[in-house]
Amino acid sequence: MTIGFGSGKERVDYITYDTKGVWKCYEIKVSKSDFYSKAAKTFVGHYNYYVLTNELYKLVKDDIPNHIGVYVGEQSVKRAKKQELAVDEQILKDSMIRSLAREFQKQYRSGNPNVVESLERQLRNAREEARGDRKRLQELMNFGRDKYGRNWYMDE
């Protein structure tokens, strides 16, 4: 994802934003020369991580800053320490929206109806599942009521 606008743009390999407002940035490195390259390492999140192979981790682990976490494959081998955001949060949000919109436009412009159809099918299935969940919830709520609508299992 490209962060920011204009000439001061940086790129992060992967970024997440959760419902608690926490930003996590991941830099993927595949070789020793990649790890030590002069290319910017965009650690702007609350938590920042390297994603490495096991072999590479063994070679570079002494050069990883204390606050940076490490994933080897899907396994966390070093925890990240929370940091203040290095850029304004609104810039991160705007950058993520721009990135997602760009990916959507690429898919839409591809003219591949399967992409749109697949997304529409996923949306229909999610809506159908939500209707079923609401119906099951209502049935469960009604299960414990007597003919007057009172809950027989609670003191009212």
mmCIF file with all atom_site columns, all heavy atoms in Angstrom, residues 18-40:
data_model
loop_
_atom_site.group_PDB
_atom_site.id
_atom_site.type_symbol
_atom_site.label_atom_id
_atom_site.label_alt_id
_atom_site.label_comp_id
_atom_site.label_asym_id
_atom_site.label_entity_id
_atom_site.label_seq_id
_atom_site.pdbx_PDB_ins_code
_atom_site.Cartn_x
_atom_site.Cartn_y
_atom_site.Cartn_z
_atom_site.occupancy
_atom_site.B_iso_or_equiv
_atom_site.pdbx_formal_charge
_atom_site.auth_seq_id
_atom_site.auth_comp_id
_atom_site.auth_asym_id
_atom_site.auth_atom_id
_atom_site.pdbx_PDB_model_num
ATOM 1   N N   . ASP A 1 18 ? -7.610  -2.668  12.660 1.00 0.00 ? 18 ASP A N   1
ATOM 2   C CA  . ASP A 1 18 ? -8.664  -3.459  13.293 1.00 0.00 ? 18 ASP A CA  1
ATOM 3   C C   . ASP A 1 18 ? -9.743  -2.578  13.912 1.00 0.00 ? 18 ASP A C   1
ATOM 4   O O   . ASP A 1 18 ? -9.660  -1.342  13.877 1.00 0.00 ? 18 ASP A O   1
ATOM 5   C CB  . ASP A 1 18 ? -8.082  -4.449  14.304 1.00 0.00 ? 18 ASP A CB  1
ATOM 6   C CG  . ASP A 1 18 ? -7.467  -3.794  15.525 1.00 0.00 ? 18 ASP A CG  1
ATOM 7   O OD1 . ASP A 1 18 ? -7.787  -2.636  15.847 1.00 0.00 ? 18 ASP A OD1 1
ATOM 8   O OD2 . ASP A 1 18 ? -6.641  -4.450  16.183 1.00 0.00 ? 18 ASP A OD2 1
ATOM 9   N N   . THR A 1 19 ? -10.746 -3.208  14.483 1.00 0.00 ? 19 THR A N   1
ATOM 10  C CA  . THR A 1 19 ? -11.893 -2.490  15.038 1.00 0.00 ? 19 THR A CA  1
ATOM 11  C C   . THR A 1 19 ? -11.545 -1.713  16.301 1.00 0.00 ? 19 THR A C   1
ATOM 12  O O   . THR A 1 19 ? -12.350 -0.917  16.766 1.00 0.00 ? 19 THR A O   1
ATOM 13  C CB  . THR A 1 19 ? -13.041 -3.467  15.356 1.00 0.00 ? 19 THR A CB  1
ATOM 14  O OG1 . THR A 1 19 ? -12.556 -4.462  16.265 1.00 0.00 ? 19 THR A OG1 1
ATOM 15  C CG2 . THR A 1 19 ? -13.558 -4.134  14.087 1.00 0.00 ? 19 THR A CG2 1
ATOM 16  N N   . LYS A 1 20 ? -10.368 -1.924  16.845 1.00 0.00 ? 20 LYS A N   1
ATOM 17  C CA  . LYS A 1 20 ? -9.940  -1.167  18.019 1.00 0.00 ? 20 LYS A CA  1
ATOM 18  C C   . LYS A 1 20 ? -9.056  0.017   17.630 1.00 0.00 ? 20 LYS A C   1
ATOM 19  O O   . LYS A 1 20 ? -8.492  0.690   18.487 1.00 0.00 ? 20 LYS A O   1
ATOM 20  C CB  . LYS A 1 20 ? -9.191  -2.084  18.988 1.00 0.00 ? 20 LYS A CB  1
ATOM 21  C CG  . LYS A 1 20 ? -10.070 -3.180  19.561 1.00 0.00 ? 20 LYS A CG  1
ATOM 22  C CD  . LYS A 1 20 ? -9.302  -4.092  20.477 1.00 0.00 ? 20 LYS A CD  1
ATOM 23  C CE  . LYS A 1 20 ? -10.220 -5.210  20.956 1.00 0.00 ? 20 LYS A CE  1
ATOM 24  N NZ  . LYS A 1 20 ? -9.495  -6.212  21.714 1.00 0.00 ? 20 LYS A NZ  1
ATOM 25  N N   . GLY A 1 21 ? -8.910  0.248   16.325 1.00 0.00 ? 21 GLY A N   1
ATOM 26  C CA  . GLY A 1 21 ? -8.113  1.373   15.848 1.00 0.00 ? 21 GLY A CA  1
ATOM 27  C C   . GLY A 1 21 ? -6.623  1.125   15.868 1.00 0.00 ? 21 GLY A C   1
ATOM 28  O O   . GLY A 1 21 ? -5.837  2.063   15.922 1.00 0.00 ? 21 GLY A O   1
ATOM 29  N N   . VAL A 1 22 ? -6.217  -0.144  15.808 1.00 0.00 ? 22 VAL A N   1
ATOM 30  C CA  . VAL A 1 22 ? -4.797  -0.499  15.844 1.00 0.00 ? 22 VAL A CA  1
ATOM 31  C C   . VAL A 1 22 ? -4.301  -0.778  14.429 1.00 0.00 ? 22 VAL A C   1
ATOM 32  O O   . VAL A 1 22 ? -4.882  -1.584  13.701 1.00 0.00 ? 22 VAL A O   1
ATOM 33  C CB  . VAL A 1 22 ? -4.560  -1.724  16.756 1.00 0.00 ? 22 VAL A CB  1
ATOM 34  C CG1 . VAL A 1 22 ? -3.103  -2.162  16.706 1.00 0.00 ? 22 VAL A CG1 1
ATOM 35  C CG2 . VAL A 1 22 ? -4.978  -1.414  18.185 1.00 0.00 ? 22 VAL A CG2 1
ATOM 36  N N   . TRP A 1 23 ? -3.207  -0.109  14.075 1.00 0.00 ? 23 TRP A N   1
ATOM 37  C CA  . TRP A 1 23 ? -2.565  -0.288  12.776 1.00 0.00 ? 23 TRP A CA  1
ATOM 38  C C   . TRP A 1 23 ? -1.355  -1.193  12.946 1.00 0.00 ? 23 TRP A C   1
ATOM 39  O O   . TRP A 1 23 ? -0.553  -0.987  13.844 1.00 0.00 ? 23 TRP A O   1
ATOM 40  C CB  . TRP A 1 23 ? -2.114  1.053   12.216 1.00 0.00 ? 23 TRP A CB  1
ATOM 41  C CG  . TRP A 1 23 ? -3.239  1.950   11.833 1.00 0.00 ? 23 TRP A CG  1
ATOM 42  C CD1 . TRP A 1 23 ? -3.860  2.869   12.632 1.00 0.00 ? 23 TRP A CD1 1
ATOM 43  C CD2 . TRP A 1 23 ? -3.885  2.023   10.566 1.00 0.00 ? 23 TRP A CD2 1
ATOM 44  N NE1 . TRP A 1 23 ? -4.846  3.503   11.937 1.00 0.00 ? 23 TRP A NE1 1
ATOM 45  C CE2 . TRP A 1 23 ? -4.879  3.005   10.662 1.00 0.00 ? 23 TRP A CE2 1
ATOM 46  C CE3 . TRP A 1 23 ? -3.706  1.354   9.362  1.00 0.00 ? 23 TRP A CE3 1
ATOM 47  C CZ2 . TRP A 1 23 ? -5.707  3.340   9.594  1.00 0.00 ? 23 TRP A CZ2 1
ATOM 48  C CZ3 . TRP A 1 23 ? -4.530  1.688   8.294  1.00 0.00 ? 23 TRP A CZ3 1
ATOM 49  C CH2 . TRP A 1 23 ? -5.513  2.667   8.407  1.00 0.00 ? 23 TRP A CH2 1
ATOM 50  N N   . LYS A 1 24 ? -1.231  -2.192  12.048 1.00 0.00 ? 24 LYS A N   1
ATOM 51  C CA  . LYS A 1 24 ? -0.077  -3.087  12.049 1.00 0.00 ? 24 LYS A CA  1
ATOM 52  C C   . LYS A 1 24 ? 0.523   -3.092  10.649 1.00 0.00 ? 24 LYS A C   1
ATOM 53  O O   . LYS A 1 24 ? -0.195  -3.259  9.668  1.00 0.00 ? 24 LYS A O   1
ATOM 54  C CB  . LYS A 1 24 ? -0.476  -4.507  12.455 1.00 0.00 ? 24 LYS A CB  1
ATOM 55  C CG  . LYS A 1 24 ? -0.983  -4.597  13.884 1.00 0.00 ? 24 LYS A CG  1
ATOM 56  C CD  . LYS A 1 24 ? -1.376  -6.010  14.247 1.00 0.00 ? 24 LYS A CD  1
ATOM 57  C CE  . LYS A 1 24 ? -1.897  -6.067  15.674 1.00 0.00 ? 24 LYS A CE  1
ATOM 58  N NZ  . LYS A 1 24 ? -2.305  -7.420  16.055 1.00 0.00 ? 24 LYS A NZ  1
ATOM 59  N N   . CYS A 1 25 ? 1.838   -2.890  10.595 1.00 0.00 ? 25 CYS A N   1
ATOM 60  C CA  . CYS A 1 25 ? 2.549   -2.867  9.313  1.00 0.00 ? 25 CYS A CA  1
ATOM 61  C C   . CYS A 1 25 ? 3.493   -4.060  9.237  1.00 0.00 ? 25 CYS A C   1
ATOM 62  O O   . CYS A 1 25 ? 4.128   -4.422  10.225 1.00 0.00 ? 25 CYS A O   1
ATOM 63  C CB  . CYS A 1 25 ? 3.352   -1.579  9.170  1.00 0.00 ? 25 CYS A CB  1
ATOM 64  S SG  . CYS A 1 25 ? 2.324   -0.105  9.102  1.00 0.00 ? 25 CYS A SG  1
ATOM 65  N N   . TYR A 1 26 ? 3.592   -4.632  8.043  1.00 0.00 ? 26 TYR A N   1
ATOM 66  C CA  . TYR A 1 26 ? 4.422   -5.809  7.817  1.00 0.00 ? 26 TYR A CA  1
ATOM 67  C C   . TYR A 1 26 ? 5.351   -5.556  6.633  1.00 0.00 ? 26 TYR A C   1
ATOM 68  O O   . TYR A 1 26 ? 4.896   -5.158  5.561  1.00 0.00 ? 26 TYR A O   1
ATOM 69  C CB  . TYR A 1 26 ? 3.545   -7.026  7.508  1.00 0.00 ? 26 TYR A CB  1
ATOM 70  C CG  . TYR A 1 26 ? 2.554   -7.352  8.596  1.00 0.00 ? 26 TYR A CG  1
ATOM 71  C CD1 . TYR A 1 26 ? 1.336   -6.679  8.678  1.00 0.00 ? 26 TYR A CD1 1
ATOM 72  C CD2 . TYR A 1 26 ? 2.840   -8.315  9.547  1.00 0.00 ? 26 TYR A CD2 1
ATOM 73  C CE1 . TYR A 1 26 ? 0.426   -6.971  9.681  1.00 0.00 ? 26 TYR A CE1 1
ATOM 74  C CE2 . TYR A 1 26 ? 1.932   -8.613  10.560 1.00 0.00 ? 26 TYR A CE2 1
ATOM 75  C CZ  . TYR A 1 26 ? 0.728   -7.936  10.619 1.00 0.00 ? 26 TYR A CZ  1
ATOM 76  O OH  . TYR A 1 26 ? -0.163  -8.219  11.603 1.00 0.00 ? 26 TYR A OH  1
ATOM 77  N N   . GLU A 1 27 ? 6.620   -5.776  6.840  1.00 0.00 ? 27 GLU A N   1
ATOM 78  C CA  . GLU A 1 27 ? 7.620   -5.714  5.778  1.00 0.00 ? 27 GLU A CA  1
ATOM 79  C C   . GLU A 1 27 ? 8.070   -7.137  5.482  1.00 0.00 ? 27 GLU A C   1
ATOM 80  O O   . GLU A 1 27 ? 8.539   -7.838  6.381  1.00 0.00 ? 27 GLU A O   1
ATOM 81  C CB  . GLU A 1 27 ? 8.825   -4.874  6.208  1.00 0.00 ? 27 GLU A CB  1
ATOM 82  C CG  . GLU A 1 27 ? 8.569   -3.393  6.213  1.00 0.00 ? 27 GLU A CG  1
ATOM 83  C CD  . GLU A 1 27 ? 8.450   -2.793  4.820  1.00 0.00 ? 27 GLU A CD  1
ATOM 84  O OE1 . GLU A 1 27 ? 9.087   -3.321  3.873  1.00 0.00 ? 27 GLU A OE1 1
ATOM 85  O OE2 . GLU A 1 27 ? 7.715   -1.809  4.676  1.00 0.00 ? 27 GLU A OE2 1
ATOM 86  N N   . ILE A 1 28 ? 7.912   -7.553  4.247  1.00 0.00 ? 28 ILE A N   1
ATOM 87  C CA  . ILE A 1 28 ? 8.272   -8.908  3.833  1.00 0.00 ? 28 ILE A CA  1
ATOM 88  C C   . ILE A 1 28 ? 9.670   -8.873  3.233  1.00 0.00 ? 28 ILE A C   1
ATOM 89  O O   . ILE A 1 28 ? 9.924   -8.126  2.286  1.00 0.00 ? 28 ILE A O   1
ATOM 90  C CB  . ILE A 1 28 ? 7.259   -9.449  2.810  1.00 0.00 ? 28 ILE A CB  1
ATOM 91  C CG1 . ILE A 1 28 ? 5.859   -9.453  3.436  1.00 0.00 ? 28 ILE A CG1 1
ATOM 92  C CG2 . ILE A 1 28 ? 7.674   -10.841 2.319  1.00 0.00 ? 28 ILE A CG2 1
ATOM 93  C CD1 . ILE A 1 28 ? 4.735   -9.668  2.439  1.00 0.00 ? 28 ILE A CD1 1
ATOM 94  N N   . LYS A 1 29 ? 10.556  -9.658  3.791  1.00 0.00 ? 29 LYS A N   1
ATOM 95  C CA  . LYS A 1 29 ? 11.935  -9.728  3.308  1.00 0.00 ? 29 LYS A CA  1
ATOM 96  C C   . LYS A 1 29 ? 12.255  -11.179 2.963  1.00 0.00 ? 29 LYS A C   1
ATOM 97  O O   . LYS A 1 29 ? 11.963  -12.085 3.742  1.00 0.00 ? 29 LYS A O   1
ATOM 98  C CB  . LYS A 1 29 ? 12.922  -9.200  4.353  1.00 0.00 ? 29 LYS A CB  1
ATOM 99  C CG  . LYS A 1 29 ? 12.673  -7.752  4.740  1.00 0.00 ? 29 LYS A CG  1
ATOM 100 C CD  . LYS A 1 29 ? 12.846  -6.847  3.548  1.00 0.00 ? 29 LYS A CD  1
ATOM 101 C CE  . LYS A 1 29 ? 12.511  -5.408  3.874  1.00 0.00 ? 29 LYS A CE  1
ATOM 102 N NZ  . LYS A 1 29 ? 12.454  -4.582  2.692  1.00 0.00 ? 29 LYS A NZ  1
ATOM 103 N N   . VAL A 1 30 ? 12.878  -11.381 1.803  1.00 0.00 ? 30 VAL A N   1
ATOM 104 C CA  . VAL A 1 30 ? 13.106  -12.747 1.320  1.00 0.00 ? 30 VAL A CA  1
ATOM 105 C C   . VAL A 1 30 ? 14.576  -13.121 1.227  1.00 0.00 ? 30 VAL A C   1
ATOM 106 O O   . VAL A 1 30 ? 14.902  -14.282 1.003  1.00 0.00 ? 30 VAL A O   1
ATOM 107 C CB  . VAL A 1 30 ? 12.424  -12.965 -0.051 1.00 0.00 ? 30 VAL A CB  1
ATOM 108 C CG1 . VAL A 1 30 ? 10.920  -12.863 0.073  1.00 0.00 ? 30 VAL A CG1 1
ATOM 109 C CG2 . VAL A 1 30 ? 12.952  -11.978 -1.079 1.00 0.00 ? 30 VAL A CG2 1
ATOM 110 N N   . SER A 1 31 ? 15.456  -12.135 1.383  1.00 0.00 ? 31 SER A N   1
ATOM 111 C CA  . SER A 1 31 ? 16.882  -12.442 1.305  1.00 0.00 ? 31 SER A CA  1
ATOM 112 C C   . SER A 1 31 ? 17.652  -11.481 2.201  1.00 0.00 ? 31 SER A C   1
ATOM 113 O O   . SER A 1 31 ? 17.141  -10.439 2.620  1.00 0.00 ? 31 SER A O   1
ATOM 114 C CB  . SER A 1 31 ? 17.394  -12.309 -0.133 1.00 0.00 ? 31 SER A CB  1
ATOM 115 O OG  . SER A 1 31 ? 17.363  -10.947 -0.535 1.00 0.00 ? 31 SER A OG  1
ATOM 116 N N   . LYS A 1 32 ? 18.909  -11.832 2.450  1.00 0.00 ? 32 LYS A N   1
ATOM 117 C CA  . LYS A 1 32 ? 19.760  -10.983 3.274  1.00 0.00 ? 32 LYS A CA  1
ATOM 118 C C   . LYS A 1 32 ? 19.973  -9.627  2.609  1.00 0.00 ? 32 LYS A C   1
ATOM 119 O O   . LYS A 1 32 ? 19.902  -8.584  3.265  1.00 0.00 ? 32 LYS A O   1
ATOM 120 C CB  . LYS A 1 32 ? 21.100  -11.692 3.517  1.00 0.00 ? 32 LYS A CB  1
ATOM 121 C CG  . LYS A 1 32 ? 21.964  -11.047 4.556  1.00 0.00 ? 32 LYS A CG  1
ATOM 122 C CD  . LYS A 1 32 ? 23.181  -11.918 4.833  1.00 0.00 ? 32 LYS A CD  1
ATOM 123 C CE  . LYS A 1 32 ? 24.108  -11.241 5.823  1.00 0.00 ? 32 LYS A CE  1
ATOM 124 N NZ  . LYS A 1 32 ? 25.295  -12.061 6.095  1.00 0.00 ? 32 LYS A NZ  1
ATOM 125 N N   . SER A 1 33 ? 20.190  -9.631  1.300  1.00 0.00 ? 33 SER A N   1
ATOM 126 C CA  . SER A 1 33 ? 20.380  -8.355  0.599  1.00 0.00 ? 33 SER A CA  1
ATOM 127 C C   . SER A 1 33 ? 19.100  -7.521  0.619  1.00 0.00 ? 33 SER A C   1
ATOM 128 O O   . SER A 1 33 ? 19.154  -6.293  0.719  1.00 0.00 ? 33 SER A O   1
ATOM 129 C CB  . SER A 1 33 ? 20.845  -8.592  -0.839 1.00 0.00 ? 33 SER A CB  1
ATOM 130 O OG  . SER A 1 33 ? 19.890  -9.324  -1.560 1.00 0.00 ? 33 SER A OG  1
ATOM 131 N N   . ASP A 1 34 ? 17.952  -8.174  0.552  1.00 0.00 ? 34 ASP A N   1
ATOM 132 C CA  . ASP A 1 34 ? 16.663  -7.482  0.645  1.00 0.00 ? 34 ASP A CA  1
ATOM 133 C C   . ASP A 1 34 ? 16.517  -6.847  2.035  1.00 0.00 ? 34 ASP A C   1
ATOM 134 O O   . ASP A 1 34 ? 16.126  -5.686  2.167  1.00 0.00 ? 34 ASP A O   1
ATOM 135 C CB  . ASP A 1 34 ? 15.537  -8.475  0.378  1.00 0.00 ? 34 ASP A CB  1
ATOM 136 C CG  . ASP A 1 34 ? 14.156  -7.841  0.295  1.00 0.00 ? 34 ASP A CG  1
ATOM 137 O OD1 . ASP A 1 34 ? 14.067  -6.615  0.068  1.00 0.00 ? 34 ASP A OD1 1
ATOM 138 O OD2 . ASP A 1 34 ? 13.166  -8.577  0.447  1.00 0.00 ? 34 ASP A OD2 1
ATOM 139 N N   . PHE A 1 35 ? 16.888  -7.595  3.067  1.00 0.00 ? 35 PHE A N   1
ATOM 140 C CA  . PHE A 1 35 ? 16.783  -7.087  4.438  1.00 0.00 ? 35 PHE A CA  1
ATOM 141 C C   . PHE A 1 35 ? 17.681  -5.868  4.653  1.00 0.00 ? 35 PHE A C   1
ATOM 142 O O   . PHE A 1 35 ? 17.292  -4.894  5.278  1.00 0.00 ? 35 PHE A O   1
ATOM 143 C CB  . PHE A 1 35 ? 17.147  -8.187  5.443  1.00 0.00 ? 35 PHE A CB  1
ATOM 144 C CG  . PHE A 1 35 ? 17.004  -7.767  6.875  1.00 0.00 ? 35 PHE A CG  1
ATOM 145 C CD1 . PHE A 1 35 ? 15.789  -7.849  7.521  1.00 0.00 ? 35 PHE A CD1 1
ATOM 146 C CD2 . PHE A 1 35 ? 18.093  -7.264  7.575  1.00 0.00 ? 35 PHE A CD2 1
ATOM 147 C CE1 . PHE A 1 35 ? 15.644  -7.454  8.842  1.00 0.00 ? 35 PHE A CE1 1
ATOM 148 C CE2 . PHE A 1 35 ? 17.967  -6.866  8.893  1.00 0.00 ? 35 PHE A CE2 1
ATOM 149 C CZ  . PHE A 1 35 ? 16.742  -6.958  9.532  1.00 0.00 ? 35 PHE A CZ  1
ATOM 150 N N   . TYR A 1 36 ? 18.878  -5.913  4.140  1.00 0.00 ? 36 TYR A N   1
ATOM 151 C CA  . TYR A 1 36 ? 19.852  -4.836  4.355  1.00 0.00 ? 36 TYR A CA  1
ATOM 152 C C   . TYR A 1 36 ? 19.825  -3.756  3.272  1.00 0.00 ? 36 TYR A C   1
ATOM 153 O O   . TYR A 1 36 ? 20.644  -2.838  3.304  1.00 0.00 ? 36 TYR A O   1
ATOM 154 C CB  . TYR A 1 36 ? 21.265  -5.416  4.483  1.00 0.00 ? 36 TYR A CB  1
ATOM 155 C CG  . TYR A 1 36 ? 21.460  -6.190  5.755  1.00 0.00 ? 36 TYR A CG  1
ATOM 156 C CD1 . TYR A 1 36 ? 21.619  -7.575  5.730  1.00 0.00 ? 36 TYR A CD1 1
ATOM 157 C CD2 . TYR A 1 36 ? 21.470  -5.551  6.989  1.00 0.00 ? 36 TYR A CD2 1
ATOM 158 C CE1 . TYR A 1 36 ? 21.793  -8.293  6.901  1.00 0.00 ? 36 TYR A CE1 1
ATOM 159 C CE2 . TYR A 1 36 ? 21.642  -6.265  8.166  1.00 0.00 ? 36 TYR A CE2 1
ATOM 160 C CZ  . TYR A 1 36 ? 21.805  -7.632  8.112  1.00 0.00 ? 36 TYR A CZ  1
ATOM 161 O OH  . TYR A 1 36 ? 21.970  -8.337  9.275  1.00 0.00 ? 36 TYR A OH  1
ATOM 162 N N   . SER A 1 37 ? 18.893  -3.846  2.333  1.00 0.00 ? 37 SER A N   1
ATOM 163 C CA  . SER A 1 37 ? 18.847  -2.852  1.254  1.00 0.00 ? 37 SER A CA  1
ATOM 164 C C   . SER A 1 37 ? 18.544  -1.461  1.810  1.00 0.00 ? 37 SER A C   1
ATOM 165 O O   . SER A 1 37 ? 18.032  -1.308  2.923  1.00 0.00 ? 37 SER A O   1
ATOM 166 C CB  . SER A 1 37 ? 17.799  -3.239  0.211  1.00 0.00 ? 37 SER A CB  1
ATOM 167 O OG  . SER A 1 37 ? 16.509  -2.915  0.686  1.00 0.00 ? 37 SER A OG  1
ATOM 168 N N   . LYS A 1 38 ? 18.846  -0.458  1.018  1.00 0.00 ? 38 LYS A N   1
ATOM 169 C CA  . LYS A 1 38 ? 18.616  0.940   1.409  1.00 0.00 ? 38 LYS A CA  1
ATOM 170 C C   . LYS A 1 38 ? 17.156  1.342   1.242  1.00 0.00 ? 38 LYS A C   1
ATOM 171 O O   . LYS A 1 38 ? 16.766  2.427   1.649  1.00 0.00 ? 38 LYS A O   1
ATOM 172 C CB  . LYS A 1 38 ? 19.513  1.881   0.589  1.00 0.00 ? 38 LYS A CB  1
ATOM 173 C CG  . LYS A 1 38 ? 20.993  1.625   0.769  1.00 0.00 ? 38 LYS A CG  1
ATOM 174 C CD  . LYS A 1 38 ? 21.428  1.953   2.166  1.00 0.00 ? 38 LYS A CD  1
ATOM 175 C CE  . LYS A 1 38 ? 22.939  1.723   2.293  1.00 0.00 ? 38 LYS A CE  1
ATOM 176 N NZ  . LYS A 1 38 ? 23.370  1.674   3.666  1.00 0.00 ? 38 LYS A NZ  1
ATOM 177 N N   . ALA A 1 39 ? 16.361  0.470   0.652  1.00 0.00 ? 39 ALA A N   1
ATOM 178 C CA  . ALA A 1 39 ? 14.936  0.786   0.470  1.00 0.00 ? 39 ALA A CA  1
ATOM 179 C C   . ALA A 1 39 ? 14.291  1.027   1.836  1.00 0.00 ? 39 ALA A C   1
ATOM 180 O O   . ALA A 1 39 ? 14.625  0.371   2.819  1.00 0.00 ? 39 ALA A O   1
ATOM 181 C CB  . ALA A 1 39 ? 14.235  -0.363  -0.247 1.00 0.00 ? 39 ALA A CB  1
ATOM 182 N N   . ALA A 1 40 ? 13.396  1.981   1.866  1.00 0.00 ? 40 ALA A N   1
ATOM 183 C CA  . ALA A 1 40 ? 12.750  2.347   3.133  1.00 0.00 ? 40 ALA A CA  1
ATOM 184 C C   . ALA A 1 40 ? 11.984  1.166   3.712  1.00 0.00 ? 40 ALA A C   1
ATOM 185 O O   . ALA A 1 40 ? 11.351  0.404   2.994  1.00 0.00 ? 40 ALA A O   1
ATOM 186 C CB  . ALA A 1 40 ? 11.804  3.519   2.900  1.00 0.00 ? 40 ALA A CB  1
#
